[in-house]
């Protein structure tokens, strides 16, 4: 049997792995599934059709699986799906999806959501991301793997942040941020590359050198985007880190942070 504090309220329909721990005054809703080793702290509310995988830890006063903050939401049976090994700190809010946005808010593995951060409806968060204190992700935001957002930053709806992007504290991101890049400021602008992050994740000096050259061609030359992409395909095509970058910028719908 799961270890449930006597003051917690767990709906009989909720599904808890036998190794789950639920702290005092927590509330677990009918459609909730909690995986192996997940620990729910005091005063946490988990509601909606919400699934958490293994070894997640949720700290006091977090609200997980609440209704979207979307006036079009009419009670549809949408979902929040969270993977393994995530840390959700105090007073975070993660909402279920909406019917118009695909119906699922999705979080991967090994992410850290610091206190008071918000993940809105229909967001997709990859793996290994760090979302610092009071960060706000609007609806339909897509974070690829290993993105870091500094405290008090915010991301506009439908915006994508590429792998290993780094967003400085207090930034307002309104357009897509390409992989490997650092952005900062109100209506954020590019401020270089996240070289330290790339080194920490095992990128070789040769790979980082190619990324630096690609950055110059894409964002520091006077070439049109299509021309820059064509030049990079000719000069560096075949290298996985460059192919990934080119694929990201080619598929941008909101436009790219410059």
């Amino acid at each position: 049997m799961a270890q449930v504090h006597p003051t917690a309220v767990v709906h009989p329909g909720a599904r808890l792995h036998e190794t789950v721990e639920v702290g005092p005054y927590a509330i677990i809703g009918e459609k909730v599934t909690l995986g192996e080793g997940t620990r729910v702290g005091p005063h946490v509310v988990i509601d909606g059709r919400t699934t958490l995988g293994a070894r997640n830890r949720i700290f006091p006063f977090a609200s997980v699986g609440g209704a979207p903050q979307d006036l079009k939401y009419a009670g549809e049976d949408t979902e929040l799906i969270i993977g393994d090994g995530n840390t959700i700190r105090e007073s975070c809010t993660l909402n279920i999806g909406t019917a118009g946005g695909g119906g699922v808010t999705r979080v991967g593995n090994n992410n850290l959501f610091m206190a008071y951060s918000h993940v809105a409806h229909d967001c997709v968060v990859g793996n290994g991301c760090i979302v610092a204190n009071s960060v706000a992700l609007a609806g339909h935001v897509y974070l690829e793997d290993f993105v870091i957002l500094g405290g008090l930053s915010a991301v506009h709806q439908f915006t994508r942040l590429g792998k290993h992007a780094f967003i400085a504290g207090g930034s307002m991101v309104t357009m897509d941020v390409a992989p490997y890049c650092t952005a900062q400021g109100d209506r954020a602008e590019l401020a270089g590359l996240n070289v330290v992050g790339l080194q920490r994740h095992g990128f070789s000096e040769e790979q980082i050198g190619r990324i630096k050259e690609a950055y110059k061609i894409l964002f520091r030359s006077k070439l049109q985007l299509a021309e820059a992409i064509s030049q990079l395909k000719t000069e560096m095509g075949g290298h996985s880190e460059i192919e990934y970058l080119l694929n990201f910028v080619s598929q941008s719908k909101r436009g790219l942070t410059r």
Side-chain angles (χ1 to χ4, degrees):
M1 296 288 292
Q3 299 181 40
V4 179
H5 192 275
T7 60
V9 179
V10 179
H11 193 284
R15 296 187 294 176
L16 280 60
H17 190 274
E18 61 183 9
T19 58
V20 165
E21 299 178 16
V22 179
Y25 301 103
I27 299 174
I28 310 296
E30 176 181 9
K31 300 175 183 178
V32 172
T33 300
L34 302 180
E36 178 181 0
T38 288
R39 298 163 63 188
V40 178
H43 297 279
V44 169
V45 177
I46 307 178
D47 204 5
R49 189 174 295 281
T50 297
T51 301
L52 288 90
R55 301 177 307 282
N56 295 288
R57 188 174 182 191
I58 308 173
F59 283 73
F61 300 103
S63 175
V64 179
Q69 298 177 100
D70 183 338
L71 294 175
K72 300 185 296 298
Y73 180 70
E76 297 89 352
D77 190 21
T78 52
E79 294 185 81
L80 169 62
I81 299 175
I82 298 174
D84 302 332
N86 297 285
T87 300
I88 300 171
R89 292 303 303 252
E90 296 81 357
S91 300
C92 289
T93 53
L94 293 86
N95 295 155
I96 58 175
T98 63
V104 180
T105 303
R106 193 178 300 274
V107 175
N109 305 320
N110 302 314
N111 299 288
L112 169 59
F113 299 93
M114 296 188 192
Y116 295 96
S117 57
H118 173 64
V119 179
H121 58 87
D122 306 297
C123 284
V124 177
V125 178
N127 304 307
C129 296
I130 298 175
V131 180
N133 300 80
S134 300
V135 168
L137 303 182
H140 313 274
V141 165
Y142 194 118
L143 302 188
E144 296 191 342
D145 296 344
F146 307 116
V147 172
I148 298 176
L149 293 110
L152 299 168
S153 57
V155 184
H156 190 282
Q157 61 189 18
F158 293 102
T159 299
R160 292 192 308 152
L161 307 184
K163 288 183 181 179
H164 303 285
F166 184 99
I167 309 302
S171 298
M172 300 290 115
V173 181
T174 60
M175 303 180 79
D176 294 348
V177 177
Y180 321 128
C181 292
T182 297
Q184 65 181 25
D186 187 357
R187 302 308 180 267
E189 298 180 350
L190 293 186
L193 290 168
N194 182 18
V195 174
V196 173
L198 296 177
Q199 291 171 338
R200 289 175 176 172
H201 283 92
F203 282 70
S204 68
E205 290 303 316
E206 292 77 12
Q207 288 176 308
I208 293 173
R210 287 191 292 266
I211 290 170
K212 287 180 177 179
E213 185 62 28
Y215 178 88
K216 292 177 184 178
I217 293 171
L218 282 171
F219 300 115
R220 292 291 182 258
S221 73
K222 296 181 179 180
L223 295 174
Q224 296 292 322
L225 181 61
E227 296 173 326
I229 291 172
S230 178
Q231 180 175 331
L232 284 172
K233 285 182 177 178
T234 300
E235 295 180 0
M236 300 185 193
H239 296 287
S240 60
E241 69 279 359
I242 304 301
E243 293 288 347
Y244 167 70
L245 173 62
L246 293 176
N247 184 61
F248 182 98
V249 300
S250 298
Q251 293 181 359
S252 175
K253 295 180 180 178
R254 283 196 59 79
L256 295 166
T257 300
R258 298 278 183 165

